[in-house]
Amino acid sequence: MSFRLSYRADPGNPWFSWQYVRDNSDTILAAVREHASLTGRAVLIAVLIALPLSVLAYWVRPLAGPILAVSGVVYTIPSLALFAFIAPYLGTGATTVLVGLVLYALLLIVRNVVAGLNQVPPEVREAAEGMGYGRWGRLFRIDLPLALPGIVTGVRLATVSTVALVTVGVLVGHGGLGQLIFAGFQNNLYKAEIMTAALLCVALAVVLDLLLILVARLVTPWSTRRAR
């Protein structure tokens, strides 16, 4: 996505300008929407992939190492290089950015979900088996609910990380607020444009993290009471 900016030369070139925000409010809002959309879709897809992988690693212990290792190797690839590898096969569209973001989010979610499942007390599992719960029943009624704090932690880390990584999508034309940051450097270091986009990136990450904290408290009220 390309953004057309109403650029007004400023001799002082301040790091922040309300005039820039007013003149380019539509462009800024469009960038924020794209940034939030890419982040939300990437994290949702990563969760849908990571949960089955985590359960598989939890049930089949020999697979835990390879699953974590593969996702860890992907996480070590520099983001620019990963997008450059994907682009020839998927093109320079939003799909390329989404695939890269999902791959990066997988490790953070899988690692925390597996850790959460492994922290379920053995006596609780034994009690569930004694009550007649099968493997699937124990998973949905016992293991996953007790692992929710770890799952939410993984989603929080993945979300904040993804907000930062979306900006790299500027390489293929879908970087959300990264488009504004890149354009600011192209416009003779237009500081107000760069700073506005950077501040909005931070604000978006903080808002999403706070929302996830609120969700965690709503779905795990026992953790909140225990902390008190």
Side-chain angles (χ1 to χ4, degrees), residues 120-203:
V120 177
E123 58 271 18
V124 174
R125 297 195 197 106
E126 293 172 3
E129 291 175 0
M131 295 173 63
Y133 285 109
R135 171 175 281 190
W136 288 100
R138 191 173 71 247
L139 176 69
F140 289 108
R141 302 285 296 274
I142 306 296
D143 294 340
L144 286 177
L146 291 178
L148 272 176
I151 295 172
V152 174
T153 298
V155 175
R156 285 178 59 196
L157 291 172
T159 300
V160 173
S161 174
T162 301
V163 170
L165 286 170
V166 168
T167 58
V168 186
V170 67
L171 179 69
V172 292
H174 290 271
L177 292 164
Q179 300 290 133
L180 302 184
I181 295 173
F182 182 71
F185 281 103
Q186 285 188 317
N187 288 336
N188 297 318
L189 192 64
Y190 190 8
K191 296 178 181 177
E193 184 175 9
I194 297 169
M195 181 59 69
T196 300
L199 289 174
L200 287 172
C201 278
V202 174

Side-chain angles (χ1 to χ4, degrees), residues 6-78:
S6 174
Y7 176 69
R8 180 178 297 179
D10 184 354
N13 192 19
W15 276 109
F16 188 78
S17 168
W18 285 113
Q19 183 66 45
Y20 164 77
V21 175
R22 286 192 294 269
D23 291 347
N24 299 281
S25 58
D26 291 341
T27 298
I28 294 170
L29 289 174
V32 171
R33 283 194 295 267
E34 183 183 44
H35 207 109
S37 174
L38 286 169
T39 299
R41 284 184 287 167
V43 173
L44 177 60
I45 295 170
V47 169
L48 294 177
I49 296 173
L51 282 177
L53 285 176
S54 302
V55 172
L56 182 63
Y58 174 60
W59 281 349
V60 186
R61 296 308 170 97
L63 292 179
I67 289 174
L68 291 171
V70 171
S71 56
V73 168
V74 173
Y75 195 79
T76 62
I77 300 174

